[in-house]
Amino acid sequence: MSEVSNVTDGEREAGESTDGDERVAFGETLVDVNGLKKYFTQSSGLFSSISFEPDQFPPVSLGQQKVKAVDDVSFEIKRGETLGLVGESGCGKSTLGRSLLRLVDPTDGTIEFKGEDLADISGEELRRKRSEIQMIFQDPQSSLDPRMKMGQIVEEPMRAHDMPKSDPDVATTASVTAENVDEPVDVTVADDADLVVEADDEGVATVPVTVARDEYGVTATVPEHLEASASVESDGTISVNVSVSTSKDELRRERAKELLGKVGLDPTYYNRYPHAFSGGQRQRINLARALSVDPDFVVCDEPVSALDVSIQAQVMNTMEELQEEFGLTYLFIAHDLSVIRHISDRVAVMYLGHIVEIAEKEELFENSQHPYTKALLESIPVPDPRDEGARGVLEGEVPSPQNPPSGCRFRTRCPELIAPDEYDLPDEQWAHVRAFMRAVKRRTFEPMTAEALEAEFFGGTLPWGEAGEVVRDVIDLIATDRQGGERTPDGDDEVEENWEEATDLLLESFAERSICAQERPSYELESEYGSGTHFAACHRHR
Ligand SMILES: Nc1ncnc2c1ncn2[C@@H]1O[C@H](COP(=O)(O)OP(=O)(O)OP(=O)(O)O)[C@@H](O)[C@H]1O
């Protein structure tokens, strides 16, 4: 047996050009997001506002509110990695994921995918790119058309993108194995053989061809879905022509069945409808559908949140296997930190439209630096029921994304708000002021005398200097034995006004003067675990 290799595609040199995909090596940046913003404009309904301007005509106008769902976000994702994106409901995770696919149009910023700005393209160019980026949604039930059979569902994106498609940049060639053949062999491979045989990293699809002589003559054997004809030329050369024998429909069906097997479903269920499957199985159908167009990047938006905990791990394991096999890159969105911990290589934490911390997984879980991340981590339900009090340290509501706090967006709920520099308060006194400010703002205590307030919140000793004077003014406003306690003929109105004034005074004198309110934080820290960078948007690192 001898082996003959013979390039046969006359027009293209093998390896001359490569598919764009291969330009991004594993570990290099595949997705690079910079300054991304998505503001929703609401002119009616819940977010509309009516403003009254007596000096203007007409004096009443319907204002437009901007919901700042994603507000100046930057990060990158390396090829082959999983970036977990976590945060409370409403913090902008889905909007961010959808912006990357241009399912919503960004208000500002760039989304570079393989070096090309997706925010800048449209029409056919965008449509083509969409086969390289796929999305999987939370609810596997509603994202599957109940009237389509499982096989059709998986084939549908391939049909929409006219796949499989021959790549004009791929050269086709043959690797010839000769059996009982001494003559020269000349093989011609059709240009579209890459529909069946995958191209290598050099952009060459090599078809294995076995040319053999037996008692009936010379035959050529090629892989399934190809056909070959062999003839002996007058000069003794054996000439072989290789072409594709299967229609695109059949190729799609084959691929759908292969993918169904890979995602852990029985391909013989090809003709069943989605209702015949469980939630976990339906999410597997979604996976097969997303992978059918051979994407590089998959945005997974809460893909396991609707599944039972026992099924979640199985689906995530399958996703990890598929990532390995197909060289996929994931952005994995979840609100559940244990899910994020299972699947991520790096983790980004989002709060009210900002990314507040990004680090490698171990670094983030073992050495978190942002108070919001710490609060989320402390809120993870602990499986041991005897371990009490390990949940729920996040106080208060997430502020409105229409009017988010200045500086650090978490500052209004932050247990580590930094004291304004001008007061020069010791830590203990600042802790007292902070607790007092929070309690007055939320009115978490019954009205009491000035002495009782001082004892309750300051251990009997008010802070010194200017800070102490502010606290004294506040106590004058709300203590029952000062004017705050006096009832007026108007009932509680004055008491109410005094409380509001007291709250404003505290916020203006302390919260608003903190660096946390004045500058948006952005710091790069040394990682204790692993070698990656650790970004934490908290002024405690200034
Ligand atoms: N089409 C829209 N029009 C107006 N506001 C929107 C729209 N989509 C999202 N929002 C608002 O943008 C903010 C972020 O929403 P988003 O769904 O991205 O958050 P999320 O973190 O994914 O939350 P969840 O986990 O609940 O889906 C919310 O305040 C939401 O109400």
Side-chain angles (χ1 to χ4, degrees), residues 40 42 67 69 88-95 302 401:
F40 293 105
Q42 295 282 348
V67 180
E88 285 167 290
S89 180
C91 66
K93 307 182 294 296
S94 292
T95 305
E302 303 265 10

PDB file of all heavy atoms in Angstrom, residues 40 42 67 69 88-95 302 401, ligand 1:
ATOM      1  N   PHE A  40     -33.284  53.211  27.320  1.00  0.00           N
ATOM      2  CA  PHE A  40     -34.620  53.077  26.727  1.00  0.00           C
ATOM      3  C   PHE A  40     -35.354  54.392  26.948  1.00  0.00           C
ATOM      4  O   PHE A  40     -35.348  54.920  28.060  1.00  0.00           O
ATOM      5  CB  PHE A  40     -35.410  51.950  27.391  1.00  0.00           C
ATOM      6  CG  PHE A  40     -34.850  50.588  27.124  1.00  0.00           C
ATOM      7  CD1 PHE A  40     -34.147  49.902  28.111  1.00  0.00           C
ATOM      8  CD2 PHE A  40     -35.019  49.969  25.894  1.00  0.00           C
ATOM      9  CE1 PHE A  40     -33.621  48.644  27.876  1.00  0.00           C
ATOM     10  CE2 PHE A  40     -34.503  48.705  25.652  1.00  0.00           C
ATOM     11  CZ  PHE A  40     -33.804  48.043  26.644  1.00  0.00           C
ATOM     12  N   GLN A  42     -38.822  56.227  27.235  1.00  0.00           N
ATOM     13  CA  GLN A  42     -40.235  55.914  27.470  1.00  0.00           C
ATOM     14  C   GLN A  42     -41.030  57.189  27.349  1.00  0.00           C
ATOM     15  O   GLN A  42     -40.826  58.129  28.094  1.00  0.00           O
ATOM     16  CB  GLN A  42     -40.423  55.347  28.889  1.00  0.00           C
ATOM     17  CG  GLN A  42     -39.739  54.024  29.107  1.00  0.00           C
ATOM     18  CD  GLN A  42     -40.517  52.883  28.500  1.00  0.00           C
ATOM     19  OE1 GLN A  42     -41.660  53.049  28.108  1.00  0.00           O
ATOM     20  NE2 GLN A  42     -39.907  51.720  28.420  1.00  0.00           N
ATOM     21  N   VAL A  67     -34.490  55.296  30.614  1.00  0.00           N
ATOM     22  CA  VAL A  67     -34.152  54.204  31.518  1.00  0.00           C
ATOM     23  C   VAL A  67     -32.731  53.777  31.173  1.00  0.00           C
ATOM     24  O   VAL A  67     -32.492  53.234  30.090  1.00  0.00           O
ATOM     25  CB  VAL A  67     -35.124  53.009  31.344  1.00  0.00           C
ATOM     26  CG1 VAL A  67     -34.756  51.885  32.294  1.00  0.00           C
ATOM     27  CG2 VAL A  67     -36.559  53.450  31.561  1.00  0.00           C
ATOM     28  N   ALA A  69     -30.527  51.394  31.289  1.00  0.00           N
ATOM     29  CA  ALA A  69     -30.425  49.957  31.589  1.00  0.00           C
ATOM     30  C   ALA A  69     -28.964  49.493  31.595  1.00  0.00           C
ATOM     31  O   ALA A  69     -28.550  48.713  32.445  1.00  0.00           O
ATOM     32  CB  ALA A  69     -31.232  49.165  30.578  1.00  0.00           C
ATOM     33  N   GLU A  88     -28.551  41.473  40.658  1.00  0.00           N
ATOM     34  CA  GLU A  88     -29.969  41.351  40.990  1.00  0.00           C
ATOM     35  C   GLU A  88     -30.840  41.612  39.762  1.00  0.00           C
ATOM     36  O   GLU A  88     -30.395  42.221  38.799  1.00  0.00           O
ATOM     37  CB  GLU A  88     -30.341  42.383  42.053  1.00  0.00           C
ATOM     38  CG  GLU A  88     -29.872  42.050  43.439  1.00  0.00           C
ATOM     39  CD  GLU A  88     -30.008  43.270  44.334  1.00  0.00           C
ATOM     40  OE1 GLU A  88     -29.250  44.226  44.139  1.00  0.00           O
ATOM     41  OE2 GLU A  88     -30.877  43.249  45.204  1.00  0.00           O
ATOM     42  N   SER A  89     -32.092  41.215  39.881  1.00  0.00           N
ATOM     43  CA  SER A  89     -33.047  41.444  38.811  1.00  0.00           C
ATOM     44  C   SER A  89     -33.134  42.939  38.486  1.00  0.00           C
ATOM     45  O   SER A  89     -33.146  43.773  39.386  1.00  0.00           O
ATOM     46  CB  SER A  89     -34.410  40.928  39.273  1.00  0.00           C
ATOM     47  OG  SER A  89     -35.338  41.132  38.268  1.00  0.00           O
ATOM     48  N   GLY A  90     -33.151  43.265  37.210  1.00  0.00           N
ATOM     49  CA  GLY A  90     -33.322  44.661  36.797  1.00  0.00           C
ATOM     50  C   GLY A  90     -32.025  45.435  36.684  1.00  0.00           C
ATOM     51  O   GLY A  90     -32.047  46.623  36.357  1.00  0.00           O
ATOM     52  N   CYS A  91     -30.875  44.788  36.930  1.00  0.00           N
ATOM     53  CA  CYS A  91     -29.630  45.567  36.911  1.00  0.00           C
ATOM     54  C   CYS A  91     -29.080  45.729  35.491  1.00  0.00           C
ATOM     55  O   CYS A  91     -28.088  46.426  35.291  1.00  0.00           O
ATOM     56  CB  CYS A  91     -28.587  44.943  37.827  1.00  0.00           C
ATOM     57  SG  CYS A  91     -28.058  43.349  37.273  1.00  0.00           S
ATOM     58  N   GLY A  92     -29.706  45.089  34.500  1.00  0.00           N
ATOM     59  CA  GLY A  92     -29.318  45.341  33.110  1.00  0.00           C
ATOM     60  C   GLY A  92     -28.623  44.174  32.415  1.00  0.00           C
ATOM     61  O   GLY A  92     -28.119  44.340  31.301  1.00  0.00           O
ATOM     62  N   LYS A  93     -28.626  43.002  33.041  1.00  0.00           N
ATOM     63  CA  LYS A  93     -27.896  41.855  32.472  1.00  0.00           C
ATOM     64  C   LYS A  93     -28.464  41.463  31.100  1.00  0.00           C
ATOM     65  O   LYS A  93     -27.719  41.299  30.134  1.00  0.00           O
ATOM     66  CB  LYS A  93     -27.963  40.639  33.419  1.00  0.00           C
ATOM     67  CG  LYS A  93     -27.522  40.916  34.834  1.00  0.00           C
ATOM     68  CD  LYS A  93     -27.569  39.660  35.685  1.00  0.00           C
ATOM     69  CE  LYS A  93     -28.960  39.095  35.915  1.00  0.00           C
ATOM     70  NZ  LYS A  93     -29.883  39.933  36.675  1.00  0.00           N
ATOM     71  N   SER A  94     -29.778  41.298  31.028  1.00  0.00           N
ATOM     72  CA  SER A  94     -30.379  40.865  29.758  1.00  0.00           C
ATOM     73  C   SER A  94     -30.180  41.914  28.681  1.00  0.00           C
ATOM     74  O   SER A  94     -29.870  41.574  27.527  1.00  0.00           O
ATOM     75  CB  SER A  94     -31.884  40.643  29.917  1.00  0.00           C
ATOM     76  OG  SER A  94     -32.110  39.565  30.735  1.00  0.00           O
ATOM     77  N   THR A  95     -30.343  43.161  29.054  1.00  0.00           N
ATOM     78  CA  THR A  95     -30.179  44.227  28.060  1.00  0.00           C
ATOM     79  C   THR A  95     -28.753  44.211  27.520  1.00  0.00           C
ATOM     80  O   THR A  95     -28.532  44.364  26.316  1.00  0.00           O
ATOM     81  CB  THR A  95     -30.515  45.602  28.680  1.00  0.00           C
ATOM     82  OG1 THR A  95     -31.827  45.524  29.234  1.00  0.00           O
ATOM     83  CG2 THR A  95     -30.456  46.700  27.662  1.00  0.00           C
ATOM     84  N   GLU A 302     -29.721  33.338  31.458  1.00  0.00           N
ATOM     85  CA  GLU A 302     -30.378  32.539  32.503  1.00  0.00           C
ATOM     86  C   GLU A 302     -30.844  31.183  31.944  1.00  0.00           C
ATOM     87  O   GLU A 302     -31.997  30.806  32.109  1.00  0.00           O
ATOM     88  CB  GLU A 302     -31.598  33.304  33.058  1.00  0.00           C
ATOM     89  CG  GLU A 302     -31.287  34.675  33.608  1.00  0.00           C
ATOM     90  CD  GLU A 302     -31.050  34.705  35.112  1.00  0.00           C
ATOM     91  OE1 GLU A 302     -30.944  33.607  35.714  1.00  0.00           O
ATOM     92  OE2 GLU A 302     -30.968  35.811  35.668  1.00  0.00           O
ATOM     93  N   PRO A 401     -33.474  53.062  37.586  1.00  0.00           N
ATOM     94  CA  PRO A 401     -32.467  53.287  36.541  1.00  0.00           C
ATOM     95  C   PRO A 401     -32.755  54.550  35.728  1.00  0.00           C
ATOM     96  O   PRO A 401     -31.978  54.922  34.866  1.00  0.00           O
ATOM     97  CB  PRO A 401     -32.567  52.026  35.665  1.00  0.00           C
ATOM     98  CG  PRO A 401     -33.895  51.434  35.955  1.00  0.00           C
ATOM     99  CD  PRO A 401     -34.326  51.886  37.318  1.00  0.00           C
TER     100      PRO A 401
HETATM  101  N1  LIG B   1     -37.709  47.450  26.318  1.00  0.00           N
HETATM  102  C1  LIG B   1     -37.554  48.140  27.444  1.00  0.00           C
HETATM  103  N2  LIG B   1     -38.110  49.339  27.601  1.00  0.00           N
HETATM  104  C2  LIG B   1     -37.930  50.040  28.731  1.00  0.00           C
HETATM  105  N3  LIG B   1     -37.220  49.630  29.782  1.00  0.00           N
HETATM  106  C3  LIG B   1     -36.640  48.429  29.688  1.00  0.00           C
HETATM  107  C4  LIG B   1     -36.774  47.613  28.527  1.00  0.00           C
HETATM  108  N4  LIG B   1     -36.092  46.466  28.735  1.00  0.00           N
HETATM  109  C5  LIG B   1     -35.545  46.560  29.968  1.00  0.00           C
HETATM  110  N5  LIG B   1     -35.880  47.733  30.540  1.00  0.00           N
HETATM  111  C6  LIG B   1     -35.484  48.220  31.867  1.00  0.00           C
HETATM  112  O1  LIG B   1     -34.077  48.180  31.913  1.00  0.00           O
HETATM  113  C7  LIG B   1     -33.630  47.755  33.202  1.00  0.00           C
HETATM  114  C8  LIG B   1     -32.750  46.543  33.064  1.00  0.00           C
HETATM  115  O2  LIG B   1     -33.541  45.442  32.656  1.00  0.00           O
HETATM  116  P1  LIG B   1     -32.911  44.011  32.310  1.00  0.00           P
HETATM  117  O3  LIG B   1     -34.028  43.105  31.912  1.00  0.00           O
HETATM  118  O4  LIG B   1     -31.800  44.192  31.361  1.00  0.00           O
HETATM  119  O5  LIG B   1     -32.333  43.554  33.719  1.00  0.00           O
HETATM  120  P2  LIG B   1     -31.895  42.108  34.211  1.00  0.00           P
HETATM  121  O6  LIG B   1     -30.740  42.315  35.106  1.00  0.00           O
HETATM  122  O7  LIG B   1     -31.690  41.218  33.047  1.00  0.00           O
HETATM  123  O8  LIG B   1     -33.144  41.668  35.049  1.00  0.00           O
HETATM  124  P3  LIG B   1     -33.907  40.253  35.054  1.00  0.00           P
HETATM  125  O9  LIG B   1     -32.954  39.295  35.669  1.00  0.00           O
HETATM  126  O10 LIG B   1     -35.109  40.534  35.894  1.00  0.00           O
HETATM  127  O11 LIG B   1     -34.214  39.974  33.610  1.00  0.00           O
HETATM  128  C9  LIG B   1     -34.896  47.512  34.022  1.00  0.00           C
HETATM  129  O12 LIG B   1     -35.171  48.653  34.783  1.00  0.00           O
HETATM  130  C10 LIG B   1     -35.949  47.301  32.973  1.00  0.00           C
HETATM  131  O13 LIG B   1     -37.219  47.690  33.461  1.00  0.00           O
END
